[in-house]
Amino acid sequence: MGKTMGIPLLSNMGNKLLSVIITEQQELNSKELIAQLKKQTLSEDSYEILREKVEDDNISAARNRALKKASGTYVLFLSSNNRLQPEALQYLLAMINPSLGRSIYPESDDSGSFPRKSVDMASCGYVVQTEDSIVDFSPERNVKVLDRDDAMLRHFYIENYEGFLWNKIFKKSIIEKARLKFHEDIYQNEDRVFIIEYLKHAKLIRMAPEIVVGYEIGEASPMDFEREVTGIGAFKYMKKAMRGHADAKYMCDQNMAYEQLQKYFEILQSDHPEDYSKSSLRKYAKKFHKLDFEPATEEDALLIESYLHYGATGEIEV
């Protein structure tokens, strides 16, 4: 990829072109990420950095506070665990609005790799890794422009996960017009809820392959089980946003069923499963039969039978 140092891309009225929102679990723990932002090929005059501390593990509340301060035309959400290639910001801007990338990709035209049609959301390739190994990476090899239906559907593929927030760039105007914000009552799946609710108001989405953003898995404090269960409740927000999108709603049901059974299996594997007799997971177990889900194996069928019994009685059949 061609690189051009310090291109000043400024939006109108003196506002920044891009707001980079960084959530931090602890004070000043984004030192490495900030250093990488300083090395970006995009001029520092073109973007603002908004750092927000996460309190009580509520990352949604931190992002909402930062969104109120954001002045950029576009918004990028990062965490202190993200790592950026030097061209990351320019690449994402060029993908959502290719007119911003003509100086980056001077050979590009409407018939080339980067069509000049602007879109409402864009994503780049990603890699998830530990200090020693790669855990996951995006499979895309070509630029794709999707409509709302296809984009929603892609965000429920269990393999090749697309629900990450930090490899995507959003329009601030859509966030403001739709009055979108992160749901502060959920502690898991909050990223995917925001994306799906955003897509409800988007028309075209560009998925681009270049891996310019990464996520480094570090040590994390274990989350309380009941807060983890809020990730299942997150699907109710997604399903509401997907009314009229039958294929995506079907895939959402598959994801919701899978995550419920996964949480129940964790209970079965715990040292004291009886401690979960009054867990909030039961309210989802009681409604499990309403999901459009069929077990693939006999083992799955037996697990579902046990899960339904747990929902009705609170009893754990180990």
Side-chain angles (χ1 to χ4, degrees), residues 21 58-64 67 77 165 170 175 179-186 190-195 197:
I21 291 175
N58 198 325
I59 194 169
S60 293
R63 286 173 177 151
N64 286 336
L67 269 176
F77 298 97
L165 190 71
F170 304 86
I175 294 173
R179 299 181 180 179
L180 297 177
K181 63 180 182 178
F182 292 85
H183 294 277
E184 298 180 17
D185 60 334
I186 54 178
E190 72 283 348
D191 288 7
R192 192 157 45 162
V193 171
F194 182 85
I195 294 168
E197 291 185 335

Side-chain angles (χ1 to χ4, degrees), residues 195-210:
I195 294 168
I196 295 298
E197 291 185 335
Y198 182 94
L199 287 175
K200 180 182 177 181
H201 304 278
K203 293 181 179 179
L204 294 176
I205 296 86
R206 179 176 284 110
M207 295 180 64
E210 195 80 14

Side-chain angles (χ1 to χ4, degrees), residues 6-11 14-18 37-38 40-48 71:
I7 299 173
L9 300 174
L10 297 177
S11 57
N15 289 340
K16 299 294 184 179
L17 183 67
L18 176 65
L37 283 167
K38 298 296 183 182
Q40 289 294 302
T41 57
L42 183 67
S43 167
E44 290 186 40
D45 293 336
S46 300
Y47 64 91
E48 63 180 354
S71 66

Side-chain angles (χ1 to χ4, degrees), residues 140-201:
E140 304 301 328
R141 295 295 176 266
N142 300 296
V143 176
K144 296 181 177 68
V145 176
L146 308 177
D147 64 15
R148 180 190 301 128
D149 289 316
D150 286 341
M152 282 185 172
L153 190 60
R154 282 296 298 266
H155 283 81
F156 292 100
Y157 287 3
I158 294 176
E159 295 182 357
N160 304 328
Y161 187 69
E162 287 296 338
F164 295 124
L165 190 71
W166 37 259
N167 72 321
K168 298 173 177 64
I169 186 169
F170 304 86
K171 285 184 175 180
K172 181 72 183 306
S173 60
I174 290 179
I175 294 173
E176 290 180 333
K177 185 176 181 179
R179 299 181 180 179
L180 297 177
K181 63 180 182 178
F182 292 85
H183 294 277
E184 298 180 17
D185 60 334
I186 54 178
Y187 292 80
Q188 283 193 344
N189 264 328
E190 72 283 348
D191 288 7
R192 192 157 45 162
V193 171
F194 182 85
I195 294 168
I196 295 298
E197 291 185 335
Y198 182 94
L199 287 175
K200 180 182 177 181
H201 304 278

